Every structure is written in C-alpha cells, then in structure tokens.
C-alpha cells in the first residue's frame, strides 16, 4: 500500500517521506520489523519507541511516524500524537473493518466481562447474529476462542482482530473498553453504536492521577458513541452524562430502584444461584431471571437490557435470552467439593468488587464466609488495605495470600493488605503460597462454610518476576480433594 493512501485520515505536522513509497506493513515494535514497514514510535508506559528508531531502520523500516524529529537521517512523518496516528493508520491498513459491523462498547471498573458475555448471548439468541467479542477473559469469533493478553489490545492488534471478525462474518462486536485503551488512544477513530457504563470504583490509580482522571478517561467512550446506556446510581454518572451530551450521544439511563431512570429494576429477589427482578421501561414491564446471584448482577443485566433496547430488541426476547444465559467463568463460579461446604471462584480484585461479592454470599451463607485473596503487584497500592478492610468487615475468616506479585515482593504486598485487617476482630492468617493457602482453606473448613477464592477468577496463571507460571485454582482444588480422598 502506498504511504499516501495510509495517511488519508492523518493530521501531520511535517512530512519528509515520499508519499508514493510502498509500505509492506505497520509496526510499533522495533524487534518485529523485517523490512518495508512503516515504524510508528509511540511513547510507552515503560519504554519510549523513539529510542528504537535507529534499530527499526537498521532492521528495514522505510519510514517513521514520530512525535519528535528523529536523531538519524530517515524519512519521517511528524505528528502531534503517535498513538492516535497508529490507530488511524492501522484502521486504514486493514480497510476500516469496524465500518462493516456494529460496535458495542462496555466500560467501567467492574462488570465489563459479565456484561459483554451476556450481551453476546442476547445478540446470538435474539438476532441469530454472529458476534465477535473482545475482552478480559478471551477474544471470540462466534464460538471460536482466541487468546488475549489485555482487556483492550493495542490499536494495530485491535484493527487486525476486527478485520478477522469482519472476514469471518461477524455483524456485531461486543468490546470491553478499558480506561487505558481510551486514555492511550487504542480505540481512536472507532465509532460505537452503543456505549455502556457499568460503574466506577477505585482501581488503576497507578496509571491515573486520581479518581477524577480515571472517570474522565472512561467518559471518552461516550464521545465516540451514537447511543449510551449509563448507570445513574453511580457516583460518577454525571461525568459520563456530560461527555455524552458534549459528544451528541443519546442516553438511556438505568437505575436499581433508587433514581428515576429510563430503565429501572424493581421487586428484586436475591436467591442462592440466581436473581429475579422486574424491568420497567416507559409503557412496559417485564419479569426477568438471571442465573448469576447478587444485586450487582441486576446492574449488569440492566446494562445489557438497555443496549438491547437501543438495538430495538423486544424486552420479552431479551428476558428469554438472559434466562437461558450461562454463568461466567471466574465470576461467582462454584467448584465441586468433597463435603457440605461450598467453594466459589471470583475475579474480584478491587475493593468494590470484593465487597459486592461478599455481600452477595452473606445473603445466602448458612455457615462461615471464608475469604482468600491477595493483590496484584506493580498496581495501585492504595487499594490493598481497603481490600483488607472489606474482607475483614464481611468475612468470618480471612486468608491473605499472593495474587500476581509481578516484580514486587509478595510478602510486602501482604503486609500492605494486613494494614486494613489490624483493627478488626475478624481472625486472619497469611499464607504467601496460594496453592498452600487453598489447601489450608479446604483442610480447615467447617460444615456450611462458603470459601471464596477471590482475585484470580478466569486466570490460569500467576505472574512472578515477568514470567507466567501455570496456576488454575480449579485444578488445585481438585488435586487436593483427590489427595484427601486417597489419604
């Protein structure tokens, strides 16, 4: 492809490159350059791509997109923001695949994965559509599962994935849109048919300056959406509504029996393995059942219902689809045990998410609530004692262990968590090795206990010093139960 064709939508500051040169591909990692590529130097969180322009050219890059004039002689395109440039160039390179499908974006701290998976199920059941999914757990093209490393991939990878989805016949794409993706322009240039806001609570303050900055990043989704579905019970709803108004996004608000909204849930009945509620929209009411327990599941369901309404799917059809929807892996997921106690695996890794899960479990627990959790390394440290406090307040026993320590010392992370437990009367124990901690929880259970393994959820690895080591909590539980049986 000629460079001038790639640059159709690009605003430039200066250009020295020959616009008629042929470009074989686009690359933002100098190590992946093989010859003929346009290298885009982006300022990463840890590494600045401008430092690797010489390496990219040595490996065969024919031109460079950059924010600063290169220190070596090379044809270049100077831009204000190379991250936005990468997104726009990638969209052009792959033929704007997003224009061939309807994009539905979901943002928020908690509930994104459940909302997107439920929405995918509704679209498939109600419309018979082939749906692509981009998210934390996995990427999917229909029933075909693809691996994923991050919630929203880098823009080049995202555009390549969208092209694959369009070529495979997808007519809808449901996407988790992270605050990082919005702040770092990974979705720049995309237009969402519907954007959904679930909630906002403390997370990612290692990246964002503060909660206001975090909320502002999330709100960017509604400047790129035609319609918006917004949880107005959330403290940051006004930030989302303001962005929607500024962007000309038509909003459908939702609330759980608290505020006047376009879409409301009433007469909620929380059960052990499900939740029932009535959905009210102007002139219509529909009883719904979702087989994922907890009030937070009602919020997730309302986001899905609102999105379905925006797509003109009848309320009754949406209710039938949600009633048939399966639970989500790693979200209040039950695991088989060897006695009269329960083990649940949940991805809760923020104070708010942990509190929501524990409140749900307390609603049906007949025995003790035993919570096992840790916190990730190289992430927001201020949430660690907050999670410790929430666990102590809502549990009968707490086991503090390791999560993904990454480059941090696990023991130090545990000490940070324990700060939130010290002033509580709730008994707790610290066991750094997560496998050992799980075995301890099982061996010390009492009849009727509910043991919650929080933080890992769908993950099947533990990241330590830059390496991912296999760790699937389901396998650990099964192996230990087999050992107990043999003993």
């Amino acid at each position: 492809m000629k460079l001038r064709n790639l640059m159709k939508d690009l605003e430039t500051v200066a250009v020295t490159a020959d616009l008629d040169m042929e470009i074989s591909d686009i690359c933002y990692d100098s190590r992946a350059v093989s010859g003929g590529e346009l290298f885009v130097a982006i300022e990463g969180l840890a590494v600045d791509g401008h430092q690797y322009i010489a390496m990219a050219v040595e490996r065969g890059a024919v031109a460079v997109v950059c924010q600063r004039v290169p220190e070596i002689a090379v044809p270049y395109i100077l831009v204000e923001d190379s991250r936005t440039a990468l997104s726009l160039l990638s969209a052009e390179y792959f033929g704007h695949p997003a224009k061939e499908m309807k994009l539905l974006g979901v943002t928020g701290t908690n509930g994104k994965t459940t909302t997107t998976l439920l929405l995918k199920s509704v679209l498939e059941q109600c419309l018979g559509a082939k749906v692509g999914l981009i998210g934390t757990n996995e990427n999917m093209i229909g029933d075909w599962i693809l691996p994923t490393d991050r919630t929203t991939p880098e823009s080049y990878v995202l555009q390549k994935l969208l092209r694959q989805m369009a070529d495979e016949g997808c007519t809808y794409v449901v996407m988790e849109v992270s605050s990082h993706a919005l702040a770092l322009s990974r979705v720049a240039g995309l237009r969402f048919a519907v954007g959904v806001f679930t909630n906002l609570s403390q997370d990612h303050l290692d990246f964002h300056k503060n909660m206001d900055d975090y909320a502002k990043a999330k709100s960017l989704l509604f400047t790129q959406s035609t319609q918006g579905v917004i949880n107005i019970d959330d403290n940051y709803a006004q930030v989302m509504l303001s962005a929607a108004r500024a962007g000309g996004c038509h909003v459908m608000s939702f609330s759980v029996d608290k505020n006047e909204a376009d879409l409301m849930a009433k007469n909620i009945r929380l059960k052990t393995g499900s939740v029932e509620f009535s959905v009210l929209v102007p002139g219509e009411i529909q009883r719904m059942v979702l087989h994922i327990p907890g009030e937070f599941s009602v919020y997730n369901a309302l986001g899905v219902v609102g999105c379905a309404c925006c797509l003109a799917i009848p309320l009754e059809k949406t209710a039938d689809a949600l009633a048939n929807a399966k639970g989500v892996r790693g979200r209040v997921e039950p695991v088989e045990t060897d006695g009269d106690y329960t083990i649940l695996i949940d991805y809760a890794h923020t104070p708010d998410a942990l509190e929501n899960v524990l409140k749900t479990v307390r609603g049906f627990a007949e025995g003790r609530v035993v919570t096992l959790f840790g916190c990730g390394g190289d992430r927001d440290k201020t949430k660690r004692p907050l999670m410790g406090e929430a666990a102590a307040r809502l549990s009968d026993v707490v086991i503090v262990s390791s999560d993904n320590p990454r480059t941090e010392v696990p023991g130090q992370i545990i000490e940070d968590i324990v700060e939130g437990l010290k002033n509580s009367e709730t008994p707790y124990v610290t066991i750094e090795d997560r496998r050992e901690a799980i075995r301890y929880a099982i061996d010390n259970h009492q009849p009727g206990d509910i043991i919650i393994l929080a933080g890992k959820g769908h993950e099947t690895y533990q990241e330590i010093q830059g390496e991912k080591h296999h760790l699937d909590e389901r396998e650990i539980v099964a192996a230990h139960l087999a050992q107990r049986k043999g003993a």
Side-chain angles (χ1 to χ4, degrees):
M1 181 181 287
K2 289 190 181 298
L3 179 59
R4 70 169 66 252
N5 294 331
L6 270 181
M7 293 172 54
K8 283 179 183 177
D9 298 325
L10 205 62
E11 292 186 8
T12 61
V13 176
V15 178
T16 66
D18 179 2
L19 297 182
D20 287 320
M21 71 166 59
E22 287 291 334
I23 301 297
S24 64
D25 203 344
I26 299 168
C27 199
Y28 59 93
D29 184 342
S30 60
R31 296 167 298 182
V33 174
S34 59
E37 291 95 345
L38 175 66
F39 178 68
V40 182
I42 59 177
E43 294 181 350
L45 300 180
V47 177
D48 184 353
H50 291 78
Q51 298 174 1
Y52 296 91
I53 289 175
M55 179 187 291
V57 172
E58 186 178 329
R59 293 179 65 89
V62 293
V64 173
V65 175
C66 48
Q67 292 176 202
R68 302 190 298 273
V69 175
E71 295 178 358
I72 65 168
V74 58
Y76 65 83
I77 300 99
L78 191 66
V79 295
E80 292 285 349
D81 180 4
S82 55
R83 283 190 172 277
T84 300
L86 177 62
S87 187
L88 300 178
L89 289 164
S90 299
E92 190 66 52
Y93 181 76
F94 288 107
H96 294 280
K99 293 181 179 180
E100 300 170 31
M101 304 172 286
K102 282 192 175 180
L103 300 189
L104 311 174
V106 180
T107 198
T109 305
N110 301 310
K112 295 189 299 296
T113 298
T114 300
T115 300
T116 52
L117 286 167
L118 289 175
L119 186 52
K120 180 176 185 288
S121 181
V122 168
L123 294 171
E124 290 169 341
Q125 292 183 63
C126 296
L127 302 180
K130 187 168 186 178
V131 183
L133 182 141
I134 300 171
T136 304
N137 279 21
E138 58 206 4
N139 296 327
M140 299 181 72
I141 299 177
D143 295 327
W144 179 21
I145 297 175
L146 306 170
T148 180
D149 287 330
R150 54 175 58 155
T151 301
T152 314
E154 188 55 79
S155 56
Y156 175 89
V157 179
L158 174 60
Q159 292 291 342
K160 184 177 182 180
L161 182 57
L162 291 172
R163 169 44 59 202
Q164 191 176 5
M165 289 176 171
D167 290 347
E168 290 288 337
C170 291
T171 52
Y172 289 85
V173 174
V174 182
M175 185 191 310
E176 292 184 48
V177 188
S178 68
S179 60
H180 287 69
L182 289 158
L184 298 175
S185 302
R186 292 177 192 157
V187 293
L190 293 181
R191 188 70 187 172
F192 294 87
V194 186
V196 180
F197 170 65
T198 59
N199 53 67
L200 198 80
S201 62
Q202 184 170 333
D203 199 14
H204 302 306
L205 295 190
D206 53 309
F207 174 73
H208 298 287
K209 298 174 186 176
N210 48 47
M211 287 298 293
D212 288 339
D213 184 60
Y214 183 28
K216 185 178 179 182
K218 290 287 190 187
S219 74
L220 292 174
L221 175 63
F222 300 99
T223 67
Q224 297 176 231
S225 298
T226 302
Q227 298 184 84
V229 179
I230 294 176
N231 170 16
I232 61 167
D233 291 345
D234 190 85
N235 292 332
Y236 289 90
Q238 287 303 320
V239 179
M240 309 303 148
L241 292 168
S242 295
R245 283 192 293 269
C249 172
H250 177 74
V251 170
M252 171 176 274
S253 61
F254 68 88
S255 170
V256 173
D257 204 17
K258 295 176 183 176
N259 297 296
E260 286 300 318
D262 301 313
L263 188 66
M264 299 185 69
K266 298 277 189 180
N267 305 320
I268 299 168
R269 292 183 62 191
L270 303 176
K271 298 186 176 182
T272 303
S274 65
V275 62
E276 296 180 8
F277 55 99
S278 296
V279 170
L280 281 70
V281 296
E284 193 172 0
I285 183 170
Q286 177 68 50
R287 193 67 179 166
M288 297 201 175
V289 178
L290 182 64
H291 296 288
I292 306 174
E295 186 180 67
F296 63 89
S297 291
V298 181
Y299 278 102
N300 293 338
L302 284 182
V304 173
V305 173
C307 194
C309 287
C310 290
L311 298 173
I313 298 173
L315 205 55
E316 186 177 356
K317 282 192 172 184
T318 302
D320 289 341
L322 287 177
N324 293 325
K326 299 177 181 177
V328 178
R329 179 177 170 85
R331 270 65 176 179
V332 201
E333 177 189 349
V335 179
E336 186 176 345
T337 66
D338 59 351
D340 55 352
Y341 65 103
T342 302
I343 296 177
L344 299 174
I345 293 177
D346 194 87
Y347 188 52
H349 62 285
T350 68
D352 187 59
L354 186 60
E355 183 163 330
N356 284 336
V357 169
L358 292 178
K359 283 181 177 178
T360 295
V361 172
R362 291 223 73 91
F364 58 76
E366 296 179 359
R368 302 180 307 169
V369 174
V370 180
T371 305
L372 187 159
F373 78 104
C375 289
D378 302 332
R379 299 293 186 267
D380 179 13
K381 295 182 180 182
T382 63
K383 73 179 183 181
R384 294 171 185 173
L386 299 179
M387 290 185 69
E389 186 278 328
R393 178 164 38 87
L394 294 165
S395 307
D396 298 296
V397 178
V398 176
I399 303 170
V400 184
S401 187
S402 191
D403 192 285
N404 290 321
R406 299 185 176 90
T407 64
E408 285 196 63
V409 177
Q412 182 58 59
I413 298 173
I414 289 172
E415 285 184 24
D416 292 342
I417 295 170
V418 168
E419 285 298 317
L421 288 155
K422 285 181 176 178
N423 296 326
S424 168
E425 295 182 2
T426 302
Y428 69 90
V429 62
T430 62
I431 303 174
E432 183 177 307
D433 186 302
R434 197 168 180 105
R435 291 176 176 81
E436 184 183 338
I438 293 171
R439 292 191 286 265
Y440 174 89
I442 293 171
D443 291 342
N444 290 276
H445 80 269
Q446 294 179 10
D449 277 0
I450 296 181
I451 300 170
I452 303 162
L453 309 181
K456 298 298 293 175
H458 61 281
E459 293 179 351
T460 56
Y461 63 86
Q462 188 172 43
E463 188 176 343
I464 304 171
Q465 295 298 324
E467 291 188 22
K468 289 184 176 180
H469 303 267
H470 182 75
L471 188 152
D472 187 328
E473 294 185 322
R474 300 152 197 80
E475 294 175 4
I476 295 168
V477 170
H480 191 57
L481 294 183
Q483 185 181 40
R484 280 163 56 91
K485 184 177 181 181

